[in-house]
């Protein structure tokens, strides 16, 4: 047998042995190992740590001295009410988390005789925290202070409005830092632009008298079902937007992103192919809705050509809306799931 024919037969055998992309060859499928290992965190993994978060907050906030002065002492007694959840997400080693909790701390205090230490006045009340999220600025955390008897306990109420708020904000800041460091969670990119002001009371309605439209074409280095899942799975959307998302991907279903900053309804849904939405930003004039169409096509295995058409957009808000898609959706999807993309 000649050297050339031997070389040709070896090449042929290698070609037969090579796994073909997009043709269902099992060698391209990342399957679960028999030992249960998730090698290099390739799979999408989410872990509910809600119970752990509750236990940590209880340990740091209950039965603690809030303030102790020569003529006053106030302590926390218990977390009297608690609601919320926390989930950590891991995809290909990129870790993020979603936190949304609220709680109420019961407190009690005494005005003391500075000489004898005897109690001259006692009072009880509440420290109410209506919301703690993953991106909460603890220094500006809202803490409402109440007292069971306003008239008798006014001196203690004044003290708790100062020291009580500092106590809670300090504990929450330490808790968030411990959560981030303990789970090696990446910080949220500083260039992400949210579509709503930090202070809802300062919202100004965007003029919608003049409207326009735009189109974005993006080629993803991921198959259509992966992009579809990122766009329509509420858990994944909550992870990459770092805020609670609600998605009902069916005609007539509702959706909400970024804490309600973006909301609307689905007009038409074709699985892995087309999404049509009635879409609005919270600070647009009441009743004004734009129209969004997202189509997914694939000319090559393992890639997706996504075309977004956004019409009836207030002209005054064109650039913010265009950048919002990139900075709140496309870039975070790329960062969390590792799906590269390029503009077409």
């Amino acid at each position: 047998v000649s050297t050339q024919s031997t070389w040709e037969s070896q090449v042929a055998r290698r070609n037969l042995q090579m796994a073909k992309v997009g043709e269902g060859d099992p060698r391209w499928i990342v399957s679960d190992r028999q030992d249960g290992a998730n090698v290099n965190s390739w799979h999408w993994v989410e872990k509910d740590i809600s119970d752990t978060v509750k236990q940590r907050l209880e340990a740091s906030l209950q039965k603690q001295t809030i303030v102790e002065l020569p003529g006053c002492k106030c302590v926390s007694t218990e977390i009297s009410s608690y609601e919320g959840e926390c989930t950590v997400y891991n995809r290909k080693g990129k870790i993020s988390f979603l936190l949304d909790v609220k709680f109420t701390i019961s407190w009690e205090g005494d005005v003391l005789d500075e000489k004898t230490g005897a109690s001259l006045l006692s009072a009880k009340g509440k420290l109410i925290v209506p919301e703690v999220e993953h991106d909460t600025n603890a220094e500006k955390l809202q803490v409402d202070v109440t007292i069971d008897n306003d008239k008798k306990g006014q001196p203690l109420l004044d003290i708790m409005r100062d020291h009580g708020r500092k106590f809670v904000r300090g504990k929450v800041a330490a808790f968030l830092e411990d959560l981030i460091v303990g789970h090696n969670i990446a910080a949220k990119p500083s260039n992400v632009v949210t579509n709503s002001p930090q202070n809802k009371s300062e919202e100004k309605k965007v003029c919608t008298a003049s409207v326009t439209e735009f189109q974005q074409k993006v080629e993803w280095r991921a198959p259509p079902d992966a992009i579809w899942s990122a766009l329509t799975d509420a858990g994944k959307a909550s992870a990459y937007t770092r805020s609670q998302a609600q998605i009902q991907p069916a005609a007539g279903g509702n959706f909400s992103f970024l804490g309600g900053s973006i909301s609307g309804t689905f007009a038409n849904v074709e699985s892995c192919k087309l999404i049509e939405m009635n879409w609005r930003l919270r600070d647009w004039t009441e009743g004004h809705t734009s129209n969004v169409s997202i189509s997914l096509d694939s000319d090559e295995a393992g890639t997706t050509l996504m075309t977004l058409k956004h019409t009836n957009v207030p002209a005054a808000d064109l650039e913010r809306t265009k950048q919002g898609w990139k900075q709140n959706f496309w870039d975070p999807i790329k960062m969390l799931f590792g799906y590269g993309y390029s503009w077409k």
Side-chain angles (χ1 to χ4, degrees):
V1 180
S2 68
T3 301
Q4 180 175 358
S5 61
T6 301
W7 177 81
E8 289 174 344
S9 64
Q10 291 173 343
V11 171
R13 283 196 298 271
R14 283 200 296 269
N15 288 339
L16 286 173
Q17 294 168 354
M18 186 176 295
K20 296 182 179 180
V21 178
E23 295 187 8
D25 192 298
R27 284 167 287 177
W28 283 103
I29 300 173
V30 181
S31 57
D32 292 332
R33 290 165 44 130
Q34 291 182 356
D35 61 7
N38 183 9
V39 181
N40 294 325
S41 298
W42 178 269
H43 302 291
W44 169 267
V45 177
E46 56 183 73
K47 181 180 180 181
D48 186 345
I49 61 170
S50 301
D51 290 341
T52 300
V53 164
K54 182 180 179 182
Q55 291 167 7
R56 288 186 180 181
L57 285 171
E58 288 175 339
S60 65
L61 293 169
Q62 293 185 144
K63 296 180 173 59
Q64 302 291 315
T65 298
I66 298 173
V67 57
E68 188 168 12
L69 301 171
C72 168
K73 182 176 181 179
C74 296
V75 299
S76 63
T77 57
E78 64 175 351
I79 293 182
S80 52
S81 70
Y82 181 95
E83 292 181 32
E85 60 185 359
C86 185
T87 305
V88 175
Y89 302 92
N90 188 339
R91 168 67 168 129
K92 295 179 71 174
K94 295 182 176 68
I95 303 173
S96 62
F97 76 115
L98 178 67
L99 171 70
D100 186 7
V101 300
K102 61 180 180 180
F103 52 87
T104 298
I105 305 166
S106 296
W107 64 269
E108 57 186 36
D110 292 276
V111 175
L112 305 173
D113 185 301
E114 294 189 21
K115 293 183 178 180
T116 65
S119 176
L120 303 175
L121 172 68
S122 297
K124 296 180 180 181
K126 300 285 193 299
L127 294 166
I128 303 169
V129 180
E131 184 176 62
V132 178
E133 295 184 312
H134 44 275
D135 54 358
T136 290
N137 181 347
E139 293 181 356
K140 298 181 179 179
L141 179 69
Q142 180 179 344
V143 183
D144 299 325
V145 185
T146 67
I147 195 167
D148 294 346
N149 190 322
D150 290 343
K151 293 181 180 179
K152 291 183 178 180
Q154 189 63 44
L156 288 171
L157 179 61
D158 293 339
I159 290 171
M160 287 299 293
R161 282 173 173 164
D162 180 15
H163 293 274
R165 286 177 173 141
K166 289 179 180 178
F167 165 79
V168 175
R169 288 167 180 162
K171 293 292 187 179
V172 169
F175 159 75
L176 289 173
E177 180 68 18
D178 179 62
L179 184 65
I180 291 169
V181 173
H183 288 85
N184 195 29
I185 294 168
K188 185 173 182 178
S190 59
N191 65 338
V192 173
V193 177
T194 59
N195 285 309
S196 63
Q198 288 277 336
N199 188 344
K200 295 179 183 179
S201 65
E202 297 177 0
E203 287 185 359
K204 296 180 180 179
K205 297 298 181 183
V206 174
C207 177
T208 56
S210 176
V211 297
T212 186
E213 62 184 62
F214 66 92
Q215 176 175 290
Q216 294 180 347
K217 283 193 175 184
V218 174
E219 184 174 68
W220 291 97
R221 290 185 284 280
D225 61 338
I227 303 304
W228 177 267
S229 179
L231 295 174
T232 61
D233 184 286
K236 293 182 179 180
S238 295
Y240 64 73
T241 62
R242 305 284 184 92
S243 59
Q244 189 67 46
Q246 298 178 353
I247 306 175
Q248 300 171 327
N254 297 319
F255 64 84
S256 174
F257 299 98
L258 300 173
S261 176
I262 299 170
S263 62
T265 60
F266 290 97
N268 185 28
V269 176
E270 296 180 27
S271 182
C272 297
K273 293 182 179 180
L274 178 67
I275 302 172
E276 293 180 341
M277 298 179 281
N278 301 313
W279 189 101
R280 64 171 274 110
L281 289 178
R282 180 166 49 203
D283 59 355
W284 286 356
T285 300
E286 195 67 33
H288 183 86
T289 302
S290 66
N291 304 107
V292 172
S293 172
I294 300 176
S295 62
L296 304 178
D297 297 297
S298 182
D299 295 329
E300 182 181 347
T303 66
T304 301
L305 178 61
M306 180 186 72
T307 302
L308 176 141
K309 296 179 181 179
H310 201 155
T311 63
N312 207 35
V313 178
D317 224 15
L318 175 61
E319 285 306 314
R320 183 171 70 129
T321 306
K322 290 169 68 176
Q323 288 300 312
W325 281 108
K326 178 180 184 296
Q327 296 178 351
N328 293 321
F329 292 90
W330 315 150
D331 286 350
I333 288 174
K334 175 183 177 180
M335 180 179 296
L336 183 58
F337 302 116
Y339 303 156
Y341 75 84
S342 57
W343 297 98
K344 302 296 287 184

